[in-house]
Amino acid sequence: MKYCRHCGAEMHDEAVLCVKCGCAVENIQVPGTAAVDPDASPKSGITALLLCFFLGGLGIHRFYVGKIGTGVIQLLTLGLCGIWTLIAFILILPGSFT
């Protein structure tokens, strides 16, 4: 099951329109193909993980993937004393860091 991005209604996996609000389903996946996250960075996840591990407090991994604004904030706060770095590291591991 999936949910409508507009109204939150539950939808069937094959649905192309939401029954509740009528909005079209975005990013329709063709069977047999891999889903592509439009927010995902084309940069290497391994490189981002290593940069986060070694230089995480400076936010270098965020500059690497193109998140310049949050990279500057992380650089100025030193990764909120490591908390922000730990969260980013945990997000990069399974590939949830977009």
Side-chain angles (χ1 to χ4, degrees):
M1 295 301 270
K2 59 185 175 181
Y3 298 92
C4 177
R5 296 183 80 169
H6 300 279
C7 69
E10 193 172 289
M11 299 171 31
H12 291 285
D13 292 330
E14 298 85 24
V16 292
L17 291 175
C18 175
V19 177
K20 185 176 179 183
C21 69
C23 290
V25 175
E26 298 169 5
N27 299 327
I28 298 173
Q29 182 180 352
V30 178
T33 61
V36 177
D37 184 1
D39 296 329
S41 172
K43 302 291 185 172
S44 168
I46 300 294
T47 304
L49 184 70
L50 291 172
L51 287 171
C52 182
F53 184 77
F54 291 110
L55 301 168
L58 301 175
I60 302 302
H61 59 286
R62 290 191 172 269
F63 288 106
Y64 173 71
V65 298
K67 296 183 174 189
I68 307 300
T70 55
V72 170
I73 294 170
Q74 192 165 351
L75 179 64
L76 295 175
T77 63
L78 295 177
L80 289 174
C81 298
I83 296 171
W84 199 352
T85 304
L86 179 62
I87 293 170
F89 188 79
I90 292 170
L91 287 174
I92 294 171
L93 274 175
S96 299
F97 189 78
T98 57

